[in-house]
Amino acid sequence: TRNQLQATLDAVPDLMFEVDLEGRYHDFHSRQTELLAAPAEQLLGRTVRDVLPSDAAETCLQALHEANETGQSRGRQFELSLPQGRRWFELSVARKSIVAGQNVHFVVLSRDITERKLAELARLESESRFRTIIDATPVPIALNDGEGNITYLNRAFQQTLGYDMADIPTLADWWPRAYPDKVYRESVVALWMQHAEAAVRGNAAFVPIEAKVCCKNGDLRTFMVSSTDLHDGTHLVVLYDITERKQVERQLQDQQVHLEEQVRLRTRELEIAKQSADTANQAKSAFLANMSHEIRTPMNGILGMASILRREGITAKQAERLDTIDSSAHYLLGVINDILDISKIEAGKFELDEAPVAVGALLENVASILAERARARNIRLHMECEALPPDLVGDATRLQQAVLNYATNAI
């Protein structure tokens, strides 16, 4: 039986001590003597204050007094600097049965938790480094655990939205403050849950949602909100502030609507102006047509009377003068036709005639029309025409008008 007990004790990986309420060592058992704060032979009869650093000794005495009052104590930790380096220990203390006439004794198990402690410190250091990074990020970021507790708000979050940890310790506090309107809040929560479930089902990234968030000071700002699962029960929530972008978009939309209205009004003004111009052109065309008719009528009468005079018999001098009247009248009829051509030009319908042209006869007509004017100014009018091909084609009326204008300017 004693051998079985010894085997059991040897199997225990912890340092085992029997001490009294003052922390005096009465017994010791462990195969890991390298973890002792003093050689084994120096422990018995001495107290924890004699062997351990003051902080560690105080922790041990607190555990003993707790076990004396409640029967046991667990979880108290202390650190020792041993030859092999820093080590951390966790105490489990149980009060032994009290024997009449004897001082109370305790069984103390001191477990080496160095590996666990180093892992915790590494995790804390990693978390500290991680929080330093996100705290320096200029974008609002929040962390929440799987139980709905908000565990961290970075500096940008507090500066942009105004909330701190005391204002929104949980998601249950966040929702009504960020979205005070119940109907809108329910729609945002439903959309958030829908995107979260889709991300889990598809093992994909959370698709951001757009939401208008009420800041602590009452301002409404628009954010694109996304969430990332850090796979330890923690969710990292990022809020991208797009308030200014949305304002610019609204301004551009307003400007576009205003521009479209301006274009519509300008188009209407141009249509009215075009209608007015068309009306004016129609009136002008009607006026020209009417005037040409009014002028043609007496001009045809002049030509008719000149023809009657020719038939009644006239002298050579009178015949010459009648030729001038006849030529001038026909020329004036051509001018009238040219006036009518203005409307054709404006309408894009003007065309030059293509007919045989007798250049000599054309020049004789011009000379006869201008003869009297030249004599009145004591100017000798002389016409010369070189031999030209007989098959020339063109608009005789307009060619005569051009030559007459040049000669009139010269006189």
Side-chain angles (χ1 to χ4, degrees):
T1 302
R2 185 175 182 83
N3 290 337
Q4 292 178 349
L5 177 60
Q6 185 63 40
T8 301
L9 293 175
D10 290 342
V12 175
D14 304 328
L15 301 174
M16 182 181 294
F17 306 94
E18 182 178 343
V19 300
D20 58 25
L21 189 57
E22 295 179 354
R24 190 177 305 278
Y25 294 100
H26 291 273
D27 197 4
F28 157 76
H29 180 83
S30 179
R31 289 185 175 276
Q32 302 184 64
T33 56
E34 71 278 2
L35 297 179
L36 294 174
E41 62 273 10
Q42 297 180 12
L43 286 178
L44 300 181
R46 302 177 69 184
T47 67
V48 292
R49 293 187 184 278
D50 298 329
V51 176
L52 300 176
S54 59
D55 291 344
E58 187 62 30
T59 300
C60 292
L61 291 173
Q62 290 173 359
L64 292 173
H65 283 84
E66 181 183 2
N68 186 48
E69 294 176 0
T70 63
Q72 63 180 4
S73 174
R74 294 180 181 174
R76 295 182 183 271
Q77 300 176 3
F78 62 89
E79 178 187 353
L80 291 179
S81 293
L82 300 177
Q84 61 269 38
R86 297 168 62 193
R87 312 294 291 187
W88 282 265
F89 297 89
E90 185 175 81
L91 298 176
S92 295
V93 182
R95 185 181 61 200
K96 295 181 68 174
S97 300
I98 300 176
V99 179
Q102 293 184 2
N103 294 330
V104 63
H105 281 202
F106 303 87
V107 175
V108 179
L109 294 179
S110 180
R111 173 164 295 178
D112 183 4
I113 60 168
T114 301
E115 292 184 1
R116 190 181 81 188
K117 195 69 176 180
L118 290 175
E120 289 179 359
L121 291 174
R123 179 178 60 80
L124 291 174
E125 183 179 357
S126 176
E127 289 181 357
S128 176
R129 186 181 300 108
F130 172 69
R131 294 193 177 192
T132 299
I133 293 173
I134 65 174
D135 204 45
T137 303
V139 177
I141 295 176
L143 297 176
N144 64 272
D145 60 24
E147 298 178 358
N149 298 307
I150 296 176
T151 58
Y152 185 73
L153 302 174
N154 76 339
R155 186 184 300 110
F157 188 103
Q158 299 181 52
Q159 291 175 345
T160 303
L161 288 94
Y163 299 114
D164 56 26
M165 292 292 295
D167 298 320
I168 47 173
T170 67
L171 291 177
D173 298 299
W174 161 255
W175 291 117
R177 299 203 65 171
Y179 311 101
D181 181 84
K182 182 180 179 182
V183 175
Y184 183 65
R185 177 171 66 250
E186 290 176 350
S187 67
V188 172
V189 172
L191 183 61
W192 180 271
M193 298 305 297
Q194 177 183 344
H195 283 223
E197 292 172 0
V200 173
R201 285 197 309 269
N203 192 26
F206 184 97
V207 178
I209 68 170
E210 181 179 318
K212 293 182 178 179
V213 179
C214 181
C215 301
K216 188 175 181 178
N217 63 3
D219 291 345
L220 281 177
R221 300 194 69 82
T222 305
F223 294 90
M224 291 298 295
V225 188
S226 65
S227 176
T228 302
D229 185 359
L230 301 183
H231 305 294
D232 61 352
T234 301
H235 290 84
L236 184 145
V237 180
V238 181
L239 297 89
Y240 299 92
D241 192 347
I242 60 172
T243 305
E244 283 72 23
R245 191 187 81 186
K246 299 295 287 186
Q247 291 174 349
V248 171
E249 289 177 355
R250 284 194 294 271
Q251 291 173 357
L252 290 176
Q253 290 174 355
D254 293 341
Q255 291 176 358
Q256 181 177 0
V257 171
H258 177 70
L259 181 59
E260 290 175 352
E261 179 64 16
Q262 291 294 102
V263 171
R264 187 186 67 80
L265 292 175
R266 184 57 179 162
T267 302
R268 179 56 181 164
E269 291 174 356
L270 292 174
E271 290 176 352
I272 294 174
K274 181 178 181 299
Q275 291 174 359
S276 299
D278 290 343
T279 302
N281 286 332
Q282 291 174 1
K284 182 177 66 177
S285 298
F287 171 77
L288 292 175
N290 183 59
M291 289 300 296
S292 65
H293 174 72
E294 294 297 331
I295 295 174
R296 275 198 181 101
T297 299
M299 190 58 62
N300 288 329
I302 293 172
L303 292 173
M305 292 303 297
S307 178
I308 292 173
L309 289 174
R310 287 180 187 278
R311 289 197 298 271
E312 290 180 350
I314 55 176
T315 65
K317 188 69 173 179
Q318 289 173 333
E320 182 181 351
R321 291 175 177 173
L322 285 177
D323 289 341
T324 300
I325 292 173
D326 188 66
S327 176
S328 297
H330 281 93
Y331 172 72
L332 185 57
L333 285 176
V335 171
I336 293 171
N337 291 330
D338 292 341
I339 293 174
L340 292 177
D341 287 340
I342 294 176
S343 60
K344 293 182 180 180
I345 292 173
E346 292 177 347
K349 299 179 179 179
F350 178 78
E351 294 181 359
L352 293 175
D353 291 337
E354 292 187 3
V357 177
V359 177
L362 184 148
L363 294 177
E364 288 178 356
N365 287 338
V366 172
S368 65
I369 292 172
L370 296 178
E372 289 298 328
R373 182 179 299 183
R375 281 194 293 268
R377 292 178 177 270
N378 295 319
I379 297 174
R380 178 174 174 270
L381 183 60
H382 177 69
M383 181 193 73
E384 292 183 3
C385 181
E386 298 181 357
L388 295 173
D391 54 353
L392 293 178
V393 175
D395 193 324
T397 300
R398 290 169 180 81
L399 180 58
Q400 178 174 318
Q401 180 181 351
V403 175
L404 180 61
N405 288 340
Y406 291 136
T408 299
N409 292 338
I411 295 174

